[in-house]
Amino acid sequence: MKVLLVEDDLMIGENVQIALDGEGIAVDWVKDGAAAEAALATYGYDALLLDLGLPQKDGIDVLRGLRARGSNMPVLVVTARDTVEQRVQGLNTGADDYLVKPFDLEELIARLHALIRRARGGGDPVYRKGEVEINPSTRQVMVADKQLVLSSREWAILDTLVARPGAIFSRAQLEERLYGWSGEVESNAVEVYIHGLRKKLGQQFIINVRGLGYMVEKV
C-alpha cells in the first residue's frame, strides 16, 4: 500500500509518516497544494491523506481537481476545519472520509484501511491457495491452520500481490510499495522479502515471471 500525505505541519506529518511506516505503508509526503497536484499527476497511490489549509493551493482545490480528472482514489481529509459547513464542503467536493485535528493515529490508520478495502470492492475477499489463507482485512496469514508472523514489508509485498491475483508486478512497482521518497531503497530488497515469503508460504506460492516480475495465481 502506498499513500500520498499532504500536510504542511511538520510535527503532524512526521508522526503520521512514522505511524504508517510501522504499518508497512509507504508514504510520499508533500507540504503544499501545488506539490500535491504534481505528485498526483506523476505517481500512483492507493489513497490520499489531505490537509485543507495548505500553502500555494488550498486542499479543497486539490480535491476538486482530482475528482474533475475522473480519479476515484480514496481521500481521507485530515484538517482543523471542524465546522459542519466545512465538513459538508469537503465531503461534497469528493472526500470519502473526514478526520478533525487533533486525531488519534490508530483511528487514522483504521479509517485509511477501511477506505482502501472499500475501494477494492467493498471488503477484501480472503485469498486461499492450497493450505495458505490470507485475509487482507485482518492482515492474518494462515498456513495449514497455523498463523504466520510477517514483517511489515513482507506484508506490503504480499498484500500488493494478492490484491490483484494474476497481475504481474515488476521489481520497480514492488519497490514503490515498500518505500516512500524519504526511504533508502536497498538494491536487493524485493528479492530478500520475496525469499522470506516463499520460505513461509511455499516456494511456488509467489511466481517469478522471467524478465517481467512477480505474481500470485488466480484462484
Side-chain angles (χ1 to χ4, degrees):
M1 189 188 304
K2 187 169 187 177
V3 304
L4 177 64
L5 170 63
V6 189
E7 174 59 67
D8 65 329
D9 185 299
L10 295 182
M11 182 176 293
I12 293 175
E14 288 173 358
N15 286 335
V16 170
Q17 188 172 44
I18 291 169
L20 295 183
D21 183 67
E23 289 286 307
I25 300 172
V27 181
D28 288 347
W29 176 20
V30 297
K31 303 172 183 66
D32 64 72
E37 289 201 324
L40 289 167
T42 307
Y43 303 100
Y45 298 99
D46 295 295
L48 171 64
L49 293 176
L50 178 66
D51 187 16
L52 297 184
L54 297 168
Q56 297 194 35
K57 191 162 191 174
D58 191 76
I60 285 290
D61 294 326
V62 173
L63 178 57
R64 186 177 291 116
L66 180 71
R67 295 308 187 216
R69 294 190 293 274
S71 173
N72 60 358
M73 179 188 302
V75 177
L76 173 57
V77 167
V78 183
T79 181
R81 297 180 185 176
D82 61 352
T83 68
V84 172
E85 292 79 10
Q86 289 168 328
R87 292 200 300 272
V88 168
Q89 181 188 26
L91 293 168
N92 285 343
T93 305
D96 296 281
D97 200 358
Y98 205 103
L99 191 58
V100 175
K101 299 175 182 177
F103 54 86
D104 184 269
L105 285 169
E106 289 187 4
E107 181 180 4
L108 180 144
I109 291 168
R111 287 175 180 261
L112 180 61
H113 281 303
L115 287 180
I116 292 174
R117 286 198 302 270
R118 194 181 309 156
R120 288 179 176 178
D124 290 320
V126 174
Y127 178 91
R128 297 182 179 88
K129 184 176 186 294
E131 295 184 322
V132 178
E133 182 176 296
I134 301 165
N135 188 329
S137 298
T138 62
R139 296 179 58 164
Q140 186 177 63
V141 181
M142 307 288 291
V143 176
D145 296 325
K146 294 182 179 179
Q147 186 169 347
L148 296 184
V149 176
L150 303 183
S151 71
S152 60
R153 286 182 171 166
E154 284 176 337
W155 172 256
I157 288 181
L158 185 61
D159 183 47
T160 299
L161 295 173
V162 300
R164 294 179 57 197
I168 301 170
F169 290 84
S170 69
R171 172 178 163 178
Q173 288 174 316
L174 292 176
E175 284 177 344
E176 286 184 5
R177 301 295 171 173
L178 292 175
Y179 301 97
W181 292 332
S182 60
E184 183 178 348
V185 180
E186 301 171 27
S187 61
N188 64 338
V190 168
E191 289 81 0
V192 169
Y193 294 123
I194 292 287
H195 177 73
L197 286 168
R198 283 173 169 162
K199 286 181 66 177
K200 295 175 181 180
L201 301 172
Q203 291 299 319
Q204 304 305 315
F205 186 83
I206 297 176
I207 300 168
N208 183 2
V209 182
R210 187 177 298 275
L212 296 176
Y214 301 92
M215 62 173 282
V216 297
E217 291 181 333
K218 288 185 177 180
V219 292

